């Protein structure tokens, strides 16, 4: 099934179930108001949502005007918050052998590179990105993420895989010029990783069929910067650690509680013809080839679009579509 | 006022208001079920809680059996979860000039050292600490923390101070033998910082009177390890950055949303006669003095007690009292 969170003026929004083709949606009000509730009580609530989802798809297929379809409405990604507008944990990684990672913190042989991110304030898929300074080195970072249920301390990678509830896309915005100084301190990024955005819908793994296999999502992640396709990266094969391994790494010394979001970082392929999922990777490649970076970071007014299509050619998660907006033009200050 | 969260079998517990002397408490049910709700809607809900708190203190003082006092009950810290049993953000720091920090990541002149911690699963003040291996270097870390309301992007330290809603104590458990390798990667601690515990109650700053001044809590933090007092550290004067500065640092590139917990790390004093708030500090001092550490980390069965008294000699937050328990003896696996 496919789930989204609609804006309603509150901090956590309203849970909606979205038809497979993303055409129509239905409030989940009778079942749960928020996605976190569902994650907290997955075995009880998710079958009810699945029933609603099945009915919604049937209504869509039959173009029926009776019954459930009367309360369905056209799905609009611009009305979406992040599926979890705020979460109790967001851990992102650098799990691909990407050019920027070769210059940055190196993954040791048996251990993935992960960092704890801020999870109190996510952006919706079409929300503006408010930045104070272009000079901070504004960079998108297109990636695949998962949302967990409860996972126990000491879980094996296989057990951890069973704890995965939903898949989604992320745009982990980065301020690259602030990052090196923070990483040099050893304590991870803070100012250099402002609010992350997520795709309009989060989906259960069965939605992508065999493309989800052993903790990897074997589909192509498309990134378009100012309308130009800059990345068509394969998300599956070159992930050095699968999501079960990432979760097991986190659970080595403590348990994870329902609703943790874990990302694998910028998707990257060894074959550079696939393009890039973050500008830092492109620049790192330029440095390796030409001694200096040619591509500049994002400017105010720039746009980024991130999407992934299933093997049927349909958009799985809907698209992240964001514009970089200077802080003084931000419509709604807190 | 003083607020706590009582265990009720749910993930978020039940909000209770606790009398100033920590003797009795009263469910806040008619006002709010959870502390996060109050933080989300502080200006509307906190005055109602304050009224209940005032009535509770009056009932306590008059030993009246009528009215409100009939529904009050003896306050028991062992029934407490963390005031926020899970939170949308937990950022901890290393803000004192402590011996271990001198060996670890150094604070640059104008910039505090902070790291993003896990906030999906906090421990109550008297909950067991479940550890897999003594060899991981189990260490307590007694500190002072604050809980914020919303703080806007770009807030000044003075504006950030206005965003502080509550004060509390933390025990940020550390696995020191895992930490160096994680910090060397640059991305901050993950496995080396398992679940953090917090004091029984969180209090509004007015509860400590003039001891809370300009973002510093000028009281003595007591740490007792296996019943022996090892730390009587002054929390105020040697904090190199006050809490407003810490929050402003976080808000340089993004806003903070209500319910973020920010800690200042192990309290430490230049005068070593005050003792220590974490074993790493004691060991670092031994290394500096004798070339090698003498004090070992915590063993299974060890206990740690952390408390802070006000200028009236009364416990402000109640005590954190925890025992280190091997994983295989953990009573309740997830």
């Amino acid at each position: 099934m496919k789930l989204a969170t609609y804006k309603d003026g509150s901090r956590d929004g309203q849970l909606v179930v979205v038809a497979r083709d993303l055409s129509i949606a239905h409030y989940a009000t009778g079942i749960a108001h928020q996605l976190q509730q569902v994650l907290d009580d997955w075995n009880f609530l998710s079958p009810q949502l699945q029933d609603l989802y099945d009915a919604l798809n049937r209504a869509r297929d039959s173009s029926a005007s009776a019954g459930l379809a009367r309360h369905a409405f056209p799905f609009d990604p611009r009305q979406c918050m992040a599926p979890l507008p705020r979460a109790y944990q967001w851990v992102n990684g650098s799990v691909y052998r990407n050019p920027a990672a070769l210059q940055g913190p190196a993954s040791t042989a048996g251990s993935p590179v992960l960092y704890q991110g801020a999870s109190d304030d996510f952006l919706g898929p079409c929300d503006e990105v408010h930045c104070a300074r272009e000079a901070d080195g504004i960079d998108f970072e297109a990636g695949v993420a998962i949302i967990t249920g409860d996972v126990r301390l000491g879980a094996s990678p296989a057990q951890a895989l069973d704890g995965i509830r939903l898949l989604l896309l992320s745009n982990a915005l980065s301020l690259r010029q602030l990052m090196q100084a923070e990483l040099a301190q050893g304590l991870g990024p803070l100012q250099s990783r402002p609010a992350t955005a997520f795709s309009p819908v989060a989906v259960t793994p069965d939605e992508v069929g065999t493309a989800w296999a052993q903790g990897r999502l074997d589909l192509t992640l498309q990134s378009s910067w100012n309308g130009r396709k800059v990345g068509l990266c394969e998300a599956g094969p070159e992930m050095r650690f699968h999501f079960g391994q990432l979760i097991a790494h986190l659970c080595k010394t403590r348990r994870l509680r329902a609703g943790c979001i874990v990302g694998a970082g910028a998707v990257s392929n060894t074959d550079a013809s696939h393009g890039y999922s973050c500008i830092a990777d492109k620049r790192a490649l330029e440095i390796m080839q030409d001694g200096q970076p040619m591509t500049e970071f994002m400017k105010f007014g720039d746009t980024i679009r991130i999407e992934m299509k299933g093997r049927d050619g349909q958009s799985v998660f809907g698209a992240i579509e964001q514009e970089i907006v200077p802080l003084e033009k931000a419509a709604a200050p807190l």
Side-chain angles (χ1 to χ4, degrees), chain A:
Chain A
M1 61 186 166
K2 301 195 175 190
L3 303 172
T5 297
Y6 250 44
K7 295 179 183 184
D8 67 350
S10 76
R11 294 174 187 266
D12 294 305
Q14 283 292 326
L15 181 63
V16 301
V17 174
V18 185
R20 180 167 289 124
D21 66 358
L22 308 179
S23 60
I24 55 172
H26 195 285
Y27 282 101
T29 318
I31 302 163
H33 288 280
Q34 275 106 35
L35 180 54
Q36 182 64 48
Q37 282 177 264
V38 180
L39 293 159
D40 285 347
D41 198 8
W42 184 260
N43 290 341
F44 180 67
L45 294 175
S46 71
Q48 301 176 49
L49 291 174
Q50 182 70 46
D51 288 346
L52 177 56
Y53 178 67
D54 293 341
L56 191 65
N57 285 325
R58 280 196 305 273
R60 168 70 185 156
D61 293 344
S62 65
S63 300
S65 63
L68 180 133
R70 280 190 303 152
H71 299 285
F73 51 86
F75 177 64
D76 180 1
R78 288 167 302 180
Q79 299 305 317
C80 287
M81 306 176 83
L84 282 176
R86 49 183 179 172
Y88 296 109
Q89 181 159 253
W90 159 232
V91 173
N92 198 12
S94 179
V95 179
Y96 296 86
R97 200 177 299 276
N98 44 343
L102 293 178
Q103 303 202 310
S107 176
T108 55
S111 177
V113 169
L114 295 168
Y115 72 91
Q116 203 95 38
S119 53
D120 60 311
D121 186 33
F122 294 137
L123 297 179
C126 304
D127 287 350
E128 294 176 344
V129 177
H130 299 158
C131 292
R133 290 163 295 274
E134 280 182 346
D136 287 343
I138 304 164
D139 195 359
F140 61 88
E141 187 179 299
V144 174
I146 58 91
I147 303 178
T148 73
D150 294 322
V151 186
R152 69 171 182 79
L153 196 165
S156 69
Q159 290 166 331
L161 278 182
D162 286 338
I164 295 175
R165 299 281 177 257
L166 296 164
L167 316 178
L168 70 174
L169 303 182
S170 61
N171 179 23
L173 198 92
S174 302
L175 301 174
R176 300 290 179 187
Q177 305 295 9
L178 306 180
M179 193 170 284
Q180 282 311 313
E182 292 197 323
L183 299 189
Q185 282 190 333
L187 290 173
L190 277 173
Q191 294 178 343
S192 58
R193 290 283 195 180
T196 297
F198 291 94
S199 50
V201 303
V203 312
T204 45
D206 60 290
E207 286 296 328
V208 293
T210 55
W212 174 253
Q214 292 167 329
R216 291 180 171 87
L217 182 55
D218 193 12
L219 293 171
T220 309
L221 187 66
Q222 307 181 4
S223 300
S224 300
W225 177 15
N226 291 335
R228 196 169 71 86
K229 219 162 253 180
V230 295
L232 282 169
C233 298
E234 300 303 325
E238 296 187 51
M239 200 179 168
R240 281 175 293 172
F241 299 90
H242 66 69
F243 277 106
Q245 291 171 309
L246 300 185
I247 298 167
H249 181 82
L250 289 172
C251 289
K252 193 182 166 196
T253 58
R254 62 184 199 88
R255 60 184 189 177
L256 288 195
R257 301 293 285 173
C260 292
I261 313 179
V262 180
V267 174
S268 176
N269 297 138
T270 310
D271 177 355
S273 71
H274 287 281
Y276 51 93
S277 304
C278 69
I279 302 171
D281 275 356
K282 174 67 171 164
R283 286 167 59 94
L285 206 64
E286 290 167 346
I287 291 171
M288 284 190 278
Q289 289 173 344
D290 307 317
Q292 58 177 335
M294 302 296 290
T295 307
E296 294 187 18
F297 289 114
M298 297 179 91
K299 307 292 178 197
F300 292 140
D302 276 15
T303 60
I304 176 67
R305 186 178 200 282
I306 298 166
E307 194 173 24
M308 183 177 260
K309 291 190 174 157
R311 289 180 178 161
D312 59 0
Q314 299 243 29
S315 182
V316 178
F317 304 99
I320 295 173
E321 290 197 86
Q322 298 188 277
E323 180 181 341
I324 309 296
V325 173
L327 195 54
E328 60 272 20
K329 285 197 188 164
L334 187 69

